[in-house]
């Protein structure tokens, strides 16, 4: 029988409870607003066109739009059904983050804290209630990382878990390209570890590596070739479009066309921002602010004021403890944060928005959870900071809930001033 990788008790059941409660909270008033808002205007239209076999919104991959189209086909064309996929993927992704942290760290409190912090950090909640591609991409990516970390801890299950991870990564990439640098990280870690351990035999050696019994060559199939194959297979509906179908034999040409479409959006946008703005929570985006469904309603994307800044301290701690004490779990989340954030200044995409911080903020919550768990375990007088941060995150979530959930606002058009602490949030 395989030896357990930790002496702590697996918090899987509590993780499931948190995910179910999160889903219930997302589901409350999910059909409000009763009209498209923000980028739903693009993706709902694209999903309808998908069902008609038409080419629309070709600058983005297919799978996320296929999921949205499937919901419309199965459940009808209504605001609730547009948003059901994001709500379900939001709960799945939250659970996956918990499993990822558990298998990476083996620490029960850190696992539950990471889920709680993510559920209340605004980003995950807001994107679990809107018909965009981001939550499909993020949830599938987190589920893939869960399987990768589990494969390292449970080598007797590694082969099927790596195959599942590769499939999930391919579908995540087929939803939105933002996940690309993240899904490259597990393979890169295995490559570096194999080079250090085996030197000239790094490709074929099956023992002594991060995943016992799996060679780097085999891992490359599961985490390299399989995701690419699944990704391209997700374009199958586009191969069958009634007009202007995509050729399955010319992927490079098609992707050049997609990049050209994305780079063509250069008109200045009032909500555009840069990665520096995201890190310090300086620039908000109003997804909705108007009178609809009998009341003034608003949905704003900002970061939780407590965890956005505590998270930066958590990243510094994780980097320090990772380098000094060889805490690979902490160092791993710092690395995922850096690569997912660095994608944007390096991508050259002319117009960028705060919602691109969804993935980096997720890994920042994981690093913060590890930091809080370590702080709570100490006998230091500062251990009280850990529960204070968790309570503060919850308080801010409750405080801002009306303006991130589309609730009815009582003070008319000027209601937003109650939450707008800084001029750049307006």
């Amino acid at each position: 029988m395989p030896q357990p990788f930790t002496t702590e008790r697996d918090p899987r059941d509590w993780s499931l409870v948190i995910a179910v409660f999160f889903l219930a909270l997302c589901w409350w008033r999910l059909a409000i607003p009763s009209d498209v808002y923000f980028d739903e205007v693009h993706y709902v239209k694209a999903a309808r066109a998908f069902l008609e076999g038409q080419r629309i919104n070709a600058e983005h991959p297919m799978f996320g739009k296929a999921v949205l189209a499937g919901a419309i086909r199965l459940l009808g064309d209504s605001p609730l059904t547009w948003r059901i996929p994001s709500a379900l993927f939001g709960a799945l992704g939250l659970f996956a983050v918990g499993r990822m942290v558990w298998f990476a760290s083996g620490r029960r409190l850190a696992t539950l804290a990471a889920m709680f912090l993510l559920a209340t950090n605004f980003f995950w909640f807001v994107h679990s209630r809107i018909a965009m591609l981001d939550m499909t991409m993020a949830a599938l990516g987190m589920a893939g990382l869960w399987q990768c970390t589990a494969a390292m801890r449970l080598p007797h299950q590694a082969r099927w878990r790596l195959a599942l991870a590769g499939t999930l990564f391919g579908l995540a990439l087929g939803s939105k390209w933002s996940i690309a640098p993240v899904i490259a990280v597990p393979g890169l870690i295995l490559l570096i570890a194999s080079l250090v351990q085996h030197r000239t035999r790094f490709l074929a050696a099956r023992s002594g590596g991060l995943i016992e019994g799996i060679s780097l060559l085999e891992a490359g199939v599961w985490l390299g070739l399989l995701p690419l194959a699944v990704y391209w297979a997700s374009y199958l509906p586009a191969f069958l479009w009634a007009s202007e179908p995509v050729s399955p034999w010319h992927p490079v040409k098609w992707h050049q066309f997609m990049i050209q479409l994305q780079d063509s959006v250069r008109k200045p946008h009032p909500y555009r921002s840069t990665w520096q703005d995201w890190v310090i929570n300086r620039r908000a985006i109003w997804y909705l602010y108007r009178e609809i469904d009998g009341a003034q309603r608003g949905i704003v994307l900002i970061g939780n004021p407590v965890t956005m800044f505590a998270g930066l301290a958590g990243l510094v701690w994780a980097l320090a403890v990772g380098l000094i004490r060889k805490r690979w779990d902490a160092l791993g989340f710092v690395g995922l944060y850096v690569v997912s954030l660095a994608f944007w200044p390096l991508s050259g995409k002319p117009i960028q928005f705060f919602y691109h911080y969804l993935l980096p903020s997720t890994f920042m919550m994981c690093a913060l959870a590890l930091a809080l768990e370590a702080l709570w375990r100490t006998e230091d007088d500062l251990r009280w900071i850990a529960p204070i941060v968790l309570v503060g995150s919850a308080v801010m979530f409750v405080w801002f809930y009306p303006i991130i959930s589309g609730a009815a606002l009582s003070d008319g058009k000027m209601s937003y001033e109650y939450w707008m602490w800084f001029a750049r949030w307006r």
Side-chain angles (χ1 to χ4, degrees):
M1 179 178 293
Q3 294 297 313
F5 66 91
T6 178
T7 58
E8 297 197 23
R9 187 158 55 92
D10 188 343
R12 178 176 51 205
D13 292 345
W14 280 110
S15 296
L16 184 60
V17 169
I18 292 173
V20 170
F21 270 93
F22 179 79
L23 177 60
L25 186 60
C26 290
W27 209 277
W28 178 250
R29 292 187 288 100
L30 188 59
I32 295 175
S34 60
D35 195 4
V36 292
Y37 71 101
F38 196 57
D39 277 359
E40 284 187 340
V41 68
H42 303 300
Y43 300 124
V44 171
K45 182 179 179 181
R48 290 167 176 162
F50 182 100
L51 295 172
E52 300 297 326
Q54 299 174 8
R55 178 194 288 188
I56 294 181
N57 193 244
E59 63 268 28
H60 289 298
M62 295 292 297
F63 185 72
K65 292 175 286 189
V67 169
L68 182 54
I72 292 174
R73 172 64 61 85
L74 290 173
L75 302 173
D77 192 345
S78 72
L80 177 62
T81 54
W82 305 336
R83 298 166 193 149
I84 283 177
S86 290
L88 294 176
F89 275 113
L92 169 64
L94 183 64
F95 181 75
V97 167
R99 302 311 292 160
M100 173 182 63
V101 173
W102 169 248
F103 283 112
S105 69
R107 296 167 186 261
R108 178 182 176 87
L109 288 178
T111 297
L112 298 177
M115 294 186 68
F116 183 82
L117 290 168
L118 185 61
T120 57
N121 85 332
F122 300 5
F123 276 88
W124 205 265
F125 177 75
V126 168
H127 289 105
S128 295
R129 291 174 48 83
I130 186 171
M132 291 170 61
L133 309 179
D134 299 74
M135 192 46 62
T136 305
M137 172 269 296
L140 291 169
M142 296 307 107
L145 290 176
W146 159 23
Q147 298 308 319
C148 287
T149 54
M152 295 179 188
R153 297 295 195 178
L154 308 172
H156 61 292
Q157 299 177 1
R159 187 162 285 113
W160 71 261
R161 285 189 181 275
L162 288 179
L164 179 56
T167 303
L168 292 166
F169 284 158
L171 295 176
L173 192 62
S175 302
K176 205 167 184 181
W177 289 347
S178 308
I179 199 70
V182 170
I183 66 177
V185 168
L188 182 60
I189 291 174
L190 291 175
L191 172 61
I192 294 172
S194 189
L195 281 169
V196 171
Q197 183 72 23
H198 301 293
R199 299 182 185 276
T200 58
R201 297 180 56 252
F202 74 97
L203 286 175
R206 291 180 173 271
S207 61
L210 285 180
I211 305 179
E212 190 67 26
I214 302 291
S215 70
L216 187 63
L217 277 175
E218 182 179 353
V221 171
W222 299 129
L223 299 180
L225 296 180
L226 179 59
L228 290 176
V230 171
Y231 167 74
W232 191 232
S234 71
Y235 282 84
L236 177 61
F239 303 155
L240 305 176
W241 274 338
S243 61
E244 300 182 285
V246 176
S247 171
W249 312 114
H250 296 93
V252 173
K253 182 178 179 181
W254 175 249
H255 283 79
Q256 288 174 336
F257 175 67
M258 292 176 69
I259 293 171
Q260 180 183 353
L261 287 178
Q262 292 195 11
D263 288 346
S264 67
V265 181
R266 295 182 174 274
K267 182 179 179 180
H269 193 285
Y271 285 148
R272 69 189 185 278
S273 56
T274 65
W275 68 270
Q276 298 98 324
D277 296 321
W278 312 340
V279 169
I280 61 174
N281 202 21
R282 185 169 65 178
R283 187 70 178 104
I285 299 180
W286 284 96
Y287 283 13
L288 172 78
Y289 198 76
R290 64 188 177 96
E291 188 172 330
I292 188 171
D293 298 314
Q296 182 73 33
R297 301 178 188 273
I299 299 175
V300 65
L301 179 66
I302 52 177
N304 185 308
V306 169
T307 56
M308 283 289 282
F309 293 104
L312 296 178
L315 286 169
V316 173
W317 172 91
L319 178 61
V321 79
L323 293 174
I324 297 170
R325 300 181 183 176
K326 300 298 189 292
R327 276 286 300 272
W328 303 118
D329 53 346
L331 207 56
F333 289 126
V334 173
L336 286 166
Y337 173 85
V338 170
V339 299
S340 57
L341 179 61
F343 176 81
W344 295 106
L346 296 176
S347 70
K349 190 177 177 67
I351 305 295
Q352 299 177 7
F353 300 97
F354 193 28
Y355 57 75
H356 292 143
Y357 201 55
L358 172 64
L359 291 176
S361 69
T362 298
F363 300 123
M364 183 168 66
M365 294 303 100
C366 296
L368 176 58
L370 293 183
L372 296 180
E373 189 266 352
L375 190 61
W376 180 249
R377 284 176 178 269
T378 67
E379 298 301 325
D380 194 286
D381 291 340
L382 296 179
R383 71 193 303 254
W384 59 268
I385 294 176
I388 288 294
V389 171
L390 294 173
V391 170
S393 181
V395 168
M396 287 297 100
F397 184 83
V398 172
W399 186 278
F400 280 88
Y401 178 78
I403 204 71
I404 63 174
S405 67
L409 305 177
S410 58
D411 294 334
K413 291 184 178 180
M414 302 307 292
S415 298
Y416 72 96
E417 291 190 341
Y418 183 70
W419 294 276
M420 296 299 99
W421 297 351
F422 306 106
R424 295 274 291 179
W425 285 7
R426 294 174 178 266

